[in-house]
Amino acid sequence: MPLDDRVVLWFDGAIRDHTEPLVRADDHGLTVGDGVFEACELLDGVPFALTRHLDRLERSAAGLGIPVPDRQEVVRAVKEVAEEWGPGLGRARILWTAGPGPLGSEAAWGPGTLVVAVGPVGEPRPVRVAIVPFTRNERGALAGLKTTSYGENAKALAWAKERGADEAVFANTRGELCEGTGTNVFVESDGMLLTPPLDSGCLAGVTRAVVMEWATEEGIDVREQAMPLEALKEAEHAALTSSTRGMVPIVAVDERELTPGPLTEAVADIYTRRHLETPDP
């Protein structure tokens, strides 16, 4: 098997062949998207910011109204796939669903289903983005939750890629800058890094939070601020953050070229250095 196709999978207490059928066909994670997940960087067997990711996994499960997973079991599963994966860079994905249930939207019967997998991930690079014609509903039932109901994101990302972009960016229903399909957005403005507040409907990104904390500690002015979508359309410098990208510059918005900004480059350097020094901030 080529290295790029390698997957290490944990299910029901053990490492499994990732091609083996494991999850029931009536699992609510499949039938109605009734599940939550996290994805974190795995570097040389060490998951980055695992505690923060598990905190958010539990918040998302509670917000979705499904049982919260056993944290000790999740930690054990991550440890086992990390050991099996070995050295190098990977993406660890933790999936928790409500478990088997009716073939409809009524509550699942359970018990919940836990799947943890590691696969390859590319090195971070500058990103071209497209602003999609769809909106993020900041008042929706799933706003701020990281759920497996990812159809909107998949549609938006496909739309962006058809136009030569790497990532899609949403406005919310108020016309404010919100987020990408799997990223948070930062805009450089008047010597500050600005990012939409959580009430914009964006996900509380783990990397977003770490970047804001570390940049502030090192004297860079980073603020949450509601911004019109035009702030990104007109920005000279902007950036994205995510768990597998860290902080990377946006080099095009709807084919309008941008240059990497000084604050983006400074914070990216801070993040690169400190995330190696502090794997569970």
Side-chain angles (χ1 to χ4, degrees), residues 86-278:
L89 182 65
R91 183 206 315 262
R93 183 181 173 99
I94 304 163
L95 171 68
W96 171 252
T97 80
L103 299 178
S105 298
E106 298 87 357
W109 306 310
T113 300
L114 176 64
V115 180
V116 179
V118 178
V121 63
E123 293 290 338
R125 59 183 179 82
V127 177
R128 305 178 70 88
V129 307
I131 298 173
V132 296
F134 324 115
T135 55
R136 190 70 96 204
N137 183 1
E138 72 280 1
R139 294 171 295 175
L142 301 184
L145 306 180
K146 195 171 180 69
T147 76
T148 58
S149 299
Y150 238 51
E152 285 190 353
N153 288 329
K155 172 70 173 178
L157 186 57
W159 189 95
K161 286 184 175 294
E162 288 170 359
R163 289 155 179 79
D166 308 298
E167 171 65 309
V169 172
F170 293 93
N172 63 18
T173 66
R174 300 190 295 251
E176 298 167 343
L177 178 62
C178 187
E179 64 179 348
T181 66
T183 56
N184 290 108
V185 185
F186 287 78
V187 173
E188 294 193 27
S189 177
D190 296 326
M192 298 178 292
L193 270 175
L194 305 178
T195 192
L198 298 184
D199 66 9
S200 71
C202 70
L203 187 71
V206 168
T207 306
R208 171 187 181 274
V210 172
V211 158
M212 293 179 69
E213 291 170 17
W214 286 351
T216 300
E217 289 171 6
E218 303 213 12
I220 295 174
D221 194 353
V222 185
R223 303 183 188 182
E224 293 181 303
Q225 181 173 305
M227 293 173 276
L229 186 60
E230 285 69 24
L232 180 60
K233 291 182 176 181
E234 299 170 359
E236 183 178 359
H237 310 300
L240 297 179
T241 57
S242 76
S243 294
T244 54
R245 284 185 169 102
M247 187 172 208
V248 294
I250 294 174
V251 293
V253 177
D254 290 340
E255 300 183 354
R256 182 179 67 87
E257 303 292 323
L258 280 68
T259 57
L263 295 180
T264 296
E265 292 182 331
V267 175
D269 288 343
I270 292 168
Y271 181 83
T272 298
R273 168 173 51 85
R274 292 187 60 169
H275 101 287
L276 295 175
E277 299 169 348
T278 312

Side-chain angles (χ1 to χ4, degrees), residues 16-163:
R16 305 295 188 102
D17 181 344
H18 77 278
T19 64
E20 178 185 354
L22 298 171
V23 178
R24 285 176 45 164
D26 61 351
D27 191 289
H28 261 212
L30 293 174
T31 57
V32 296
D34 201 8
V36 296
F37 77 98
E38 288 292 322
C40 61
E41 179 189 73
L42 187 68
L43 181 60
D44 293 333
V46 179
F48 179 70
L50 183 60
T51 299
R52 292 183 190 240
H53 280 287
L54 296 185
D55 287 345
R56 188 173 64 181
L57 184 78
E58 293 170 0
R59 289 197 303 270
S60 293
L64 192 58
I66 66 176
V68 172
D70 181 325
R71 181 174 289 217
Q72 290 185 341
E73 183 181 31
V74 178
V75 171
R76 183 170 62 252
V78 172
K79 181 175 183 293
E80 291 179 9
V81 296
E83 289 175 349
E84 184 73 16
W85 180 260
L89 182 65
R91 183 206 315 262
R93 183 181 173 99
I94 304 163
L95 171 68
W96 171 252
T97 80
L103 299 178
S105 298
E106 298 87 357
W109 306 310
T113 300
L114 176 64
V115 180
V116 179
V118 178
V121 63
E123 293 290 338
R125 59 183 179 82
V127 177
R128 305 178 70 88
V129 307
I131 298 173
V132 296
F134 324 115
T135 55
R136 190 70 96 204
N137 183 1
E138 72 280 1
R139 294 171 295 175
L142 301 184
L145 306 180
K146 195 171 180 69
T147 76
T148 58
S149 299
Y150 238 51
E152 285 190 353
N153 288 329
K155 172 70 173 178
L157 186 57
W159 189 95
K161 286 184 175 294
E162 288 170 359
R163 289 155 179 79

